[in-house]
Amino acid sequence: MNANVQAIRPAQPEVASESWPFEVARCTPAIGAEISGIDLREPLDDATYAALRRAVVRHKVIFFRDQDITPAQHVAFARRFGKLEIHPTFPHHPDHPELVIIGRNDAKRGRENLYHSDVSWRDVPSMGSILRCVQCPEVGGDTMWINMVAAYENLPEEVKSLIQNLKAAHEFLPLFGIVVPEEQHDEMRKKFPPAIHPVVRTHPETGEKILYVNEAFTTHIVNYGHHTVPRYRFGFDFKLAEMELLQYLFRQAQAPEYQVRLRWQPNTIAFWDNRSCQHYAVQDYFPAVRHMMRATVVGDRPV
């Protein structure tokens, strides 16, 4: 395990119950694994593709070091896992519109330092994201990923019962409104209306239950009153209870026991299951330069 992957515990060898065509080293008991013995410049054969898909579903996020791939190879690798989306606001690579450019420098401070699941504001959010480091500071600019299956599993039973049938709105503008000119807000609302997703979604490949709300895009619970005991005196009692529940659920992502933290190096790649984890980009490196490229695989409608 590379010492630059920071974790609650040192990496542990993958359990021997499964045979992998590459090396797998766990980062924490809850989430994350580093993959070695694979060259992502080469096309994936069916067996390696299937094994990588199992690895990312099992570990939620997997890391690759020293992968000096071209943008075209990045897109080809990502496309092996499904159709790729084109983000409506982030700048794109000039030759590959599926490849988002995330660049921060002394004139542009990052704003990704909040817990979120990519594009949960879409009616069909992403299956996964594949992020490659092109340039990063010597220190700073780490990213954390959070296992939201564990976050759900460890909730008190009464909370699980309360939220099992709740649905929440996920919206584009609360976060991206700052980078979209105000005169275009109405157009973007029409193009990307609020997406309504279950507060607890089911992973389509494992059947796991996932806590699926995030502080970046989830704005409110749309059916709170239909699934709670009517014990309120006034309307503000009801609204405050809904807001307090949502804030409580947001805070589950902050538990270190569910997290892994990666220290980036050039040509490091992180591939995460966007259905079952959230992430947080630590903004402690300004005004240093941090340059990343990301491809996002289209997923499925949460149920």
Side-chain angles (χ1 to χ4, degrees), residues 76-96:
F77 173 66
R79 190 171 282 135
R80 192 69 169 86
F81 293 86
K83 180 180 178 182
L84 304 185
E85 72 160 41
I86 297 176
H87 199 281
T89 59
F90 282 135
H92 308 140
H93 188 280
D95 299 323
H96 303 282

Side-chain angles (χ1 to χ4, degrees), residues 9-287:
R9 297 182 184 177
Q12 305 165 26
E14 174 61 42
V15 290
S17 60
E18 179 155 6
S19 176
W20 302 98
F22 38 72
E23 296 178 14
V24 179
R26 296 169 61 203
C27 300
T28 79
I31 182 172
E34 185 166 346
I35 307 297
S36 57
I38 187 171
D39 185 349
L40 298 185
R41 294 174 299 180
E42 301 297 328
L44 297 180
D45 58 39
D46 289 345
T48 305
Y49 154 75
L52 282 176
R53 191 170 187 112
R54 290 197 309 274
V56 75
V57 167
R58 173 177 296 183
H59 297 289
K60 316 309 185 211
V61 57
I62 54 178
F63 306 121
F64 307 84
R65 294 290 191 184
D66 303 317
Q67 297 288 340
D68 188 9
I69 60 175
T70 66
Q73 289 167 337
H74 188 163
V75 170
F77 173 66
R79 190 171 282 135
R80 192 69 169 86
F81 293 86
K83 180 180 178 182
L84 304 185
E85 72 160 41
I86 297 176
H87 199 281
T89 59
F90 282 135
H92 308 140
H93 188 280
D95 299 323
H96 303 282
E98 309 94 337
L99 208 55
V100 160
I101 305 297
I102 304 174
R104 308 303 183 191
N105 52 42
D106 61 356
K108 190 174 185 181
R109 186 187 294 270
R111 297 182 60 251
E112 299 87 9
N113 54 336
L114 71 173
Y115 295 95
H116 64 286
S117 176
D118 285 335
V119 301
S120 70
W121 44 266
R122 289 190 186 276
D123 189 47
V124 179
S126 72
M127 169 267 171
S129 296
I130 301 171
L131 182 65
R132 172 175 170 257
C133 177
V134 179
Q135 182 181 2
C136 58
E138 181 182 357
V139 292
D142 298 354
T143 301
M144 299 185 298
W145 285 266
I146 305 93
N147 182 344
M148 299 308 294
V149 173
Y152 172 77
E153 288 176 346
N154 289 322
L155 286 172
E157 290 302 320
E158 61 268 24
V159 176
K160 290 181 182 179
S161 178
L162 175 64
I163 66 176
Q164 64 180 342
N165 294 312
L166 295 183
K167 297 181 179 182
H170 297 242
E171 300 192 34
F172 171 86
L173 276 178
L175 183 65
F176 287 108
I178 195 170
V179 297
V180 174
E182 195 167 356
E183 59 271 19
Q184 296 179 18
H185 281 195
D186 286 345
E187 175 188 348
M188 296 305 285
R189 284 192 188 95
K190 292 176 183 176
K191 191 173 182 179
F192 302 109
I196 309 302
H197 299 313
V199 168
V200 181
R201 71 173 293 181
T202 302
H203 196 288
E205 298 181 52
T206 67
E208 296 170 308
K209 299 295 184 182
I210 304 161
L211 182 58
Y212 197 68
V213 294
N214 69 87
E215 64 183 7
F217 303 121
T218 308
T219 56
H220 62 285
I221 299 172
V222 299
N223 62 339
Y224 181 77
H226 294 282
H227 297 278
T228 57
V229 177
R231 57 184 182 278
Y232 305 108
R233 305 162 301 155
F234 309 114
F236 56 75
D237 282 355
F238 170 84
K239 188 60 183 176
L240 284 174
E242 177 206 328
M243 294 168 63
E244 287 171 355
L245 174 61
L246 199 52
Q247 290 297 322
Y248 172 80
L249 297 177
F250 289 162
R251 289 197 299 273
Q252 303 311 305
Q254 299 174 16
E257 287 80 1
Y258 309 146
Q259 299 178 355
V260 63
R261 181 166 177 153
L262 174 70
R263 183 172 179 179
W264 292 100
Q265 296 173 345
N267 295 322
T268 295
I269 293 175
F271 179 10
W272 64 94
D273 188 334
N274 197 56
R275 301 162 296 188
S276 59
C277 68
Q278 295 185 25
H279 59 286
Y280 180 112
V282 181
Q283 304 295 328
D284 59 353
Y285 58 92
F286 183 83

